[in-house]
Amino acid sequence: MALTDMMLAVLEESGLLALWKATSPWLALDERQLIFVIATPVFVAVTLWEYLKIRHDPRLMDSREAIRNFALGAGYQVTELLFAGLIAFPVYALCYHYRLFDLELNGFTVLLTFVGVDFCFYWMHRASHRVRWFWAAHVVHHSSERMNFSTAMRQNATNIFNGMWIFYLPLALLGLNPVWIGVAYALSLVYQFFIHTTLVGKLPRWLELVFNTPSHHRVHHGRNPGYIDRNYGGTLILWDRLFGTFVDEDAQHPPEYGITRPVRSNNLIVLWTHEYVDLFRDMAQPGGLLSRLTHLWKPPEWQRPATVKNNKETGRDNQRTSPDAERR
């Protein structure tokens, strides 16, 4: 008996192989996590390179915050790995089972998957700014007052529970394989890591016209009134140009990064949950059930009259005075 056969026999008798066969389908959607694992050393290397370039400017780099950003990103990846297969994959599998078309994997469907994922990302990203329930998870990504590669890792561990993955379900219903949807999504996030920097200026015009670039994404992270809720694109900037949410970076008005109500805490749990706390506090204000629940799907700046009155009485006037002043 060969040594490899002996090793396989040990595994089979241990019961681990049977356990793996039973649980591996639940992890299928997280083939994308393998992409993140492979890409992470590249992310770290590029971040270190950037750190050496800007470490002397506290406006651009804070080493403690950079480490905290990677910790936030690690929390996000852990919850995605543990729960995406349990929460999202069964729904994707159900949609794919009842798909409208049988699409073979070829060059055309690969391109279709890429464009479809990017299109859905635009609307998911737009909703994550304009629907408060989704914003409660996304806000952590915008709460840094610096723009560097580590900011890209600043993600919320609650994302998988927040339900933003539902925006990609129509692709599975059309007949695109959920595993490849996940792969395309992961590759899009890898691309987006590299647009979180101040070291790259304007790129050639044709690139700026078609793709999301560092210049475009700096606008997205700006809390300047003219920059808020703009440039939602993932890999492509075409959707913003098409749907009227594009704004070009103005050299005369450089972006001011962060949110209008800064989070005065470095605690990871607080960074992940502070907007949920505010949301549920607003929902707890007196009123009917429907008016309370309305906070979940209204924009972040929306407040019920009773809530506004209570905030003024308690000194919690949270600067939500206009659509352009609610978050950055």
Side-chain angles (χ1 to χ4, degrees):
M1 178 181 288
L3 182 58
T4 53
D5 293 333
M6 297 179 188
M7 294 168 64
L8 285 173
V10 171
L11 284 173
E12 288 176 357
E13 293 179 11
S14 72
L16 285 180
L17 283 182
L19 180 62
W20 171 249
K21 289 178 181 178
T23 58
S24 59
W26 296 95
L27 298 175
L29 192 63
D30 277 306
E31 294 290 338
R32 57 185 180 157
Q33 291 298 331
L34 179 61
I35 296 174
F36 294 140
V37 169
I38 294 172
T40 295
V42 179
F43 294 162
V44 172
V46 172
T47 301
L48 288 174
W49 169 81
E50 183 189 50
Y51 171 77
L52 294 175
K53 293 282 188 180
I54 62 177
R55 69 185 185 278
H56 299 303
D57 190 341
R59 297 171 303 169
L60 302 178
M61 174 61 70
D62 181 316
S63 57
R64 291 169 298 181
E65 182 182 78
I67 293 171
R68 188 160 53 248
N69 289 344
F70 272 89
L72 290 166
Y76 159 76
Q77 289 196 17
V78 167
T79 55
E80 289 281 318
L81 180 62
L82 293 177
F83 296 104
L86 294 172
I87 296 173
F89 191 52
V91 187
Y92 275 95
L94 183 66
C95 289
Y96 187 67
H97 179 77
Y98 292 103
R99 60 190 178 274
L100 300 177
F101 307 102
D102 289 317
L103 302 176
E104 296 181 2
L105 184 64
N106 53 42
F108 173 74
T109 54
V110 167
L111 178 62
L112 184 63
T113 302
F114 164 75
V115 174
V117 165
D118 205 67
F119 177 76
C120 292
F121 178 91
Y122 170 84
W123 289 106
M124 179 275 293
H125 198 184
R126 187 166 176 171
S128 72
H129 284 251
R130 303 308 299 145
V131 175
R132 194 173 180 190
W133 171 250
F134 295 137
W135 173 247
H138 189 56
V139 63
V140 66
H141 182 63
H142 283 270
S143 58
S144 173
E145 296 185 347
R146 297 171 182 85
M147 183 66 159
N148 53 59
F149 288 131
S150 76
T151 307
M153 304 300 293
R154 193 180 177 96
Q155 301 292 337
N156 201 318
T158 70
N159 277 10
I160 185 59
F161 310 107
N162 210 255
M164 287 184 278
W165 47 268
I166 65 175
F167 285 86
Y168 304 91
L169 290 176
L171 301 179
L173 192 60
L174 285 173
L176 297 175
N177 190 289
V179 172
W180 290 109
I181 293 171
V183 168
Y185 175 75
L187 292 175
S188 173
L189 293 188
V190 169
Y191 173 86
Q192 290 179 60
F193 172 87
F194 295 100
I195 61 176
H196 288 79
T197 184
T198 58
L199 293 181
V200 178
K202 291 277 188 175
L203 296 175
R205 180 169 174 76
W206 71 269
L207 283 172
E208 298 279 345
L209 284 172
V210 177
F211 292 98
N212 197 6
T213 65
S215 175
H216 298 330
H217 205 59
R218 286 193 292 269
V219 167
H220 178 69
H221 276 260
R223 61 185 174 190
N224 316 48
Y227 289 167
I228 291 177
D229 291 342
R230 296 293 183 266
N231 298 3
Y232 295 115
T235 302
L236 303 175
I237 203 67
L238 295 174
W239 313 119
D240 288 283
R241 296 184 184 278
L242 181 62
F243 296 113
T245 53
F246 175 76
V247 168
D248 208 355
E249 185 178 27
D250 185 352
Q252 301 300 317
H253 299 90
E256 298 174 9
Y257 304 113
I259 52 180
T260 56
R261 294 186 297 134
V263 185
R264 303 304 182 188
S265 175
N266 293 328
N267 184 288
L268 299 188
I269 303 300
V270 172
L271 291 172
W272 278 326
T273 61
H274 68 91
E275 182 63 18
Y276 289 106
V277 172
D278 287 348
L279 168 60
F280 293 134
R281 183 185 291 121
D282 287 344
M283 292 175 66
Q285 297 300 318
L289 178 61
L290 181 59
S291 65
R292 291 170 183 247
L293 293 177
T294 304
H295 285 282
L296 293 172
W297 57 82
K298 282 288 189 177
E301 72 274 9
W302 182 82
Q303 293 283 281
R304 287 181 288 143
T307 306
V308 173
K309 179 180 178 181
N310 182 71
N311 285 343
K312 289 180 178 179
E313 291 174 350
T314 59
R316 286 189 65 246
D317 187 357
N318 55 16
Q319 301 182 21
R320 288 179 179 149
T321 56
S322 73
D324 284 339
E326 78 274 16
R327 296 187 305 281
R328 299 291 191 272

